[in-house]
Amino acid sequence: MSSSRRQYPFHLIEPKWQKTWEEQQAFRAFNPGESVPEGHPFGIRYDLSGKIASAETLPPKFYILDMFPYPSGTGLHVGHPEGYTATDILARYRRAVGFNVLHPMGWDSFGLPAEQYAVKTGQHPRVTTEANIANFTRQIKSLGFSYDWSRELATTDPDYFKWTQWIFLKLYNSYFDPEWNKATPIEFLEDALSEQPKFKNKWQENPFLAGTHNAYVKMSAKEKELVRRRTLDNKRLAYVSEAPVNWCPELGTVLANEEVIDGKSEVGGFPVIRKPMRQWMLRITAYAEKLLADLDTIDWTDSLKEMQRNWIGRSEGAEVVFEIDGTRIRAEEEYEKVTVFTTRPDTLFGATYMVLSPEHKLVRNITTQAQRQVVEEYQKLTTSKSDLERTELAKEKTGVFTGSFATNPVNRQRIPIWIADYVLASYGTGAIMAVPAHDERDFEFAKKFDLPIVQVVEPPAGKDWQGFTDDGVAVNSDFISGLPTQEAKKQITKWLEDRRLGKKTINYKLRDWLFSRQRYWGEPFPIIWKKDAAGNLYHEALPESALPLLPPSLEDYKPTTDGRPPLARAKDWLNLPDGSVRETNTMPQWAGSCWYYLRYTDAKNAQSFVGKEAENYWMGTVAAVCDRRNDGADTAPLQKITPGVDLYVGGTEHAVLHLLYARFWHKVLFDLGYVSTAEPFYKLVNQGLILGEDGQKMSKSRGNVVNPDDVIGEYGADAFRLYEMFMGPLQDTKPWNTKGVEGVYRFLGRVWRLFVDEKSETAFEQAETTAQSKDELLDLILLDGAIAEIDATPAQLKTLHACIKKVTEDLDGMRFNTAISAMMVFINEAITWQTKPLPVMKTFLQLLAPFAPHLAEELWARLHSTFGQTAPSLGYAPWPKFDATLLVESVIEIPVQVNGKLRDVIKVSVNATVAELEALALANEKAKPYHEGKTIKKIIVVPKKLVNIVAA
RNA sequence: GCGCGCGUGGUGGAAUUGGCAGACACGCCAGACUUAGGAUCUGGUUCCGCAAGGAUUGGAGGUUCAAGUCCUCUCGCGCGCACCA
């Protein structure tokens, strides 16, 4: 702690106002149907004091959301308050402008660290989590953010995860209908799979359901029994799959694709291997197209949209069917077939071999006796590799021949079938046609194993055709020869479709979401397992009335090495009286964050995950009437109401995790009619990283971590907030600099001294050394005598209104750093004033209030009381407007250039004509030497901007 | 390798979108007040030059009366994806 003198008594001011705001519930947002307490500042501004609010009487909504934090044991780091300060400034600004602002905070509190701590110490994760939440709450409140704490939520709270489980049941009890192109209650499919459908009239026009029904009724009784459950379970949006998954032995759990980076776990960086396990999956792939297309409807950065597009990985192409030689004995039999996916069907004539992924199910059938041993060895080698090894060793192509051949459908050519691990089982069909001439990987492979390379695309002149992968003109390709690539694709796809040898296909990289974890500290699945008459296990959903399903208490939270979840240890919890058994997996941490923004709109609702009216008001566009304020201000800043969350601010690390998952859940809820919009987050901004003072990423090992508590202790919350915003643009990565904090701290000190009488401050400082109550201490502070109820001079008004204009425009554009510099310019000017007109001083405090709310409130209150006025609530005082006429100069400075070089600056009337400017410039003594004796070719005059004399 | 973004003083960053480059702040220098200054206030501070003047937005070209801003090439940095057929 530095021993330097305090710039102003923030240590008294800040706790005082935080307490006042909390007692007043000053920043509580009101839903339609809620009653606004008598005397609440929001109610006073909108004439709702003591009344019941309604969608008609409330001002337009503005929903400003922060990505809620995981309450870790280490507390807040300086990155958290960066986004929180930005949103808080905007929340306060929007309140002043005239919106009903929803600005909530909560806790993404399920997570691994609390569980790992429990494994080590035996302390229940809930105890750890609650302690961490308490610490985070203290830290966040010490920054004076205007959150509506009445809406606080935690994903670990049973009242919350009850509804997370409820949404899971909705996923479980829905399927994606291909005809209606949306999530649909599974009752429809169940109905179609029954003898006498009850609501056939609702779906008989749906070819998918009608077809399912027609096929079903033709089946035998025994078939029906088998098909019914299997069909339903295979169509659910939440389904069970037995497939190779990402198993992380170190963490003792499986992970989603999105949580594996370069073959290692995103959390901890531990190796991940492929292991076949029975797991719950969510059918996010059904939404691939909507998740992609709807990116065009939202206001996110291009880079973020691009990340999501890449992750979804849409590619258009064709599936082509190849027959395998020697797989029929008699002529009337069908050949065994392999389907490949290609984005370049136009190169089919150049397919000289075929490659299956080592895991492809046909490999066993087609491998010849002679090749069996090498093929099996290769398969073994592949499976033993972790994903990490597989990608690391990918530099050199490997593979083996199966001994079999396929027939190229376009030219009946016999081509060898290989297996190689450069073909992935999980993408496309797990098999490719290899066109070595026009695909880099195939080219490499063909060269290594000496396979034929045939040119079928002619590149533009001057380029080598070998390994040419771009568009060109088809050659050596029979009926498509001579066609440019795009046209050739169309023609050959049509040719294949006509002969049923292939079809146009769209493929996605996106995989279904692996949704179960072998952990303790997560939401238990509301699912039980039963056995049918034949002894086969099947699953069933718990009824909604059984929610929330709480996890059992355990002695030992340790994950297991065999993938059996820790919940399986709780025998009493596990086994139900009727012989059925509970699902023991838990949901991933992402589950709770998929819908928390919805819960905030109606956080205490016990009947429903969110009330319809509340959801519709905050997330919908229904209340799109902007002209509803009674303060007489014009409605220009009130843009059209946006669908969903108006502004969402958080880190970029969630680009393909939380943000993709939440969009998916939201779309399901939208399809099922539970929410009003197709997209949850209309505008999204990623705050940039804050680096250490040394320009490196902050980390304990580097010893460059800045603790917010220390900064607040030394400079105060207002200075901390201001510095976080003054560092640079919100979106940029930027280094921390403690000297910079001192800079904005000095600025706040100058603001203080602009308002406060110097002598009284000396008295205050002396009194501070003796023990007195804090409130009395602050009362020793008197206002500067120069502040008076007098008219402002034109110069003062101009300074003020230039500041209003800049701060307002910069807030609208989220340019906080330049808004602050505009206020610094104002203060640097105002500090020289002999007189300080009261209205000017008040207005400045309104501009400062969103940024440094404690200091602004203190001076605002003091200013009013000194002049015997009652202070209206600063947070709800209408935002000042600038008067453009006050900013107009009568005399302006105009640069005079000769051949584009500045030679002088002249003062002219703002109304100077082009001719006058020209004459003044030509007569200018400083410019003369540069054009005298030369021919003046022309004179560029831009009124109010500059004059440029072009001479040669 | 592919995609996206960014390069401005000693430092963080400004620049109404083509019109006085360097706002604001840090740092540094000088001065005032002071027992003192790590408080405060005043002045200075892109570089070269005593000056006149010249140069200057990673580098090289181009368009334009005029370029940090637009175009082409190039170098460097950051982020994302990465055998996705």
Side-chain angles (χ1 to χ4, degrees), chain A residues 346 480 483-493:
Chain A
D346 60 298
I480 57 165
L483 295 177
T485 298
Q486 291 308 318
E487 187 56 27
K489 281 183 183 174
K490 282 186 200 153
Q491 293 292 330
I492 199 151
T493 306

Side-chain angles (χ1 to χ4, degrees), chain A residues 22 49 102 117 122 139 144 165 180 237 285 352 381 410 470 477 487 545 564-565 627 724 787 803 832 918:
Chain A
E22 185 140 357
S49 184
L102 177 54
Y117 191 72
Q139 289 188 298
Q165 291 170 329
W180 288 333
L237 292 182
T285 51
T352 55
L381 188 71
V410 280
D470 291 337
S477 296
E487 187 56 27
S545 59
R564 267 164 52 87
D627 193 13
E724 291 251 359
I787 299 173
C803 188
T832 67
E918 208 176 290

Side-chain angles (χ1 to χ4, degrees), chain A residues 777-791:
Chain A
L777 267 174
L778 275 177
D779 285 342
L780 294 172
I781 299 286
L782 300 175
L783 281 192
D784 179 18
I787 299 173
E789 285 182 286
I790 47 168
D791 289 339

Side-chain angles (χ1 to χ4, degrees), chain A residues 127-171:
Chain A
V127 176
T128 313
T129 302
E130 276 167 9
N132 291 349
I133 288 177
N135 188 42
F136 262 67
T137 305
R138 174 191 63 77
Q139 289 188 298
I140 289 178
K141 286 192 173 174
S142 77
L143 280 154
F145 294 135
S146 64
Y147 291 119
D148 177 356
W149 287 101
S150 74
R151 294 168 191 257
E152 179 182 359
L153 57 81
T155 55
T156 46
D157 186 341
D159 287 341
Y160 181 86
F161 72 68
K162 167 183 178 171
W163 299 106
T164 309
Q165 291 170 329
W166 179 85
I167 296 172
F168 176 82
L169 290 183
K170 292 295 153 199
L171 290 156

Side-chain angles (χ1 to χ4, degrees), chain A residues 812-831:
Chain A
D812 286 332
M814 297 182 71
R815 294 179 296 267
F816 306 103
N817 54 334
T818 48
I820 293 166
S821 90
M823 290 188 286
M824 288 172 166
V825 169
F826 174 90
I827 287 295
N828 290 346
E829 173 70 28
I831 211 121

